[in-house]
């Protein structure tokens, strides 16, 4: 199974509605493609992990890279995993971090990542949330 993680920057024009549409589409498509993962949006950046069979992961990632609702997509890791790390979720993409203000992105992401078995993957999502929380408003 392939697990791919990337970070990207939302288009300046991205609205809450756009973000909700991205989540809805992702849940629907990923469910059909047998993909699991986690998508965290902190209002500025997206951090997403996708895992599943290689071809659907690659196909989905190509579509994501071509999407003009974000830019500067940087692949952080690409590795094969024996078992799903995000399989605890029946369904694909998860959170949208608080879009406006800090909210409780740290608490939300900590709770969501509790079941991720691999420490580095868990730490990646948790430090992303803390980085955002540390920024001045
Ligand atoms: C940050 C971000 C994450 C996305 N994640 C997914 C995803 O996990 N799965 C997916 O199918 N599409 C995802 N998309 C949407 C795709 O870029 C594309 O719009 C969509 O797959 C097209 O699906 P449709 O042909 O069913 O409309 C994402 C887009 C963005 C900007």
């Amino acid at each position: 199974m392939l697990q791919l993680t990337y970070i990207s920057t939302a288009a300046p024009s991205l609205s809450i509605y756009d973000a909700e549409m991205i989540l809805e589409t992702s849940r629907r498509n990923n469910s059909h493609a047998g993909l699991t993962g986690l998508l965290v949006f902190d209002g500025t950046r997206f951090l997403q992990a996708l895992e599943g069979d290689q071809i659907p992961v690659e196909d989905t990632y190509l579509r994501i890279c071509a999407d003009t609702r974000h830019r500067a997509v940087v692949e952080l890791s690409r590795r094969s995993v024996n078992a799903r790390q995000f399989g605890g979720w029946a369904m694909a993409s998860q959170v949208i971090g608080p879009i406006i203000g800090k909210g409780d992105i740290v608490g939300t992401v900590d709770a969501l990542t509790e079941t991720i078995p691999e420490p580095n993957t868990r730490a990646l999502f948790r430090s992303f949330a803390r980085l955002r929380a540390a920024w001045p408003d």
Side-chain angles (χ1 to χ4, degrees), residues 6 8 14 22 25-30 35 39 46 48 50 60 63-70 92-93:
Y6 73 86
S8 68
L14 193 93
I22 289 169
T25 306
S26 302
R27 290 205 178 98
R28 187 182 59 237
N29 289 348
N30 295 3
L35 302 185
L39 175 63
F46 293 102
Q48 185 173 30
L50 276 173
T60 302
R63 286 200 313 277
I64 293 172
C65 286
D67 196 315
T68 55
R69 291 172 290 185
H70 65 167
S93 323

Side-chain angles (χ1 to χ4, degrees), residues 52-133:
D53 288 341
Q54 183 177 349
I55 290 172
V57 171
E58 302 273 17
D59 285 352
T60 302
Y61 185 58
L62 282 176
R63 286 200 313 277
I64 293 172
C65 286
D67 196 315
T68 55
R69 291 172 290 185
H70 65 167
R71 61 194 167 79
V73 180
V74 176
E75 195 177 299
L76 297 177
S77 86
R78 171 187 290 261
R79 60 193 193 113
S80 85
V81 286
N82 294 326
R84 288 183 193 271
Q85 299 241 318
F86 300 91
W89 294 303
M91 221 334 43
S93 323
Q94 304 299 315
V95 180
I96 225 150
I99 293 180
I100 299 156
K102 293 177 183 175
D104 186 24
I105 189 169
V106 169
T108 310
V109 171
D110 279 2
L112 270 170
T113 52
E114 207 133 278
T115 55
I116 299 176
E118 215 277 304
N120 289 337
T121 309
R122 204 168 52 229
L124 174 67
F125 278 90
R126 290 184 171 185
S127 36
F128 177 81
R130 280 166 178 74
L131 192 64
R132 178 63 182 94

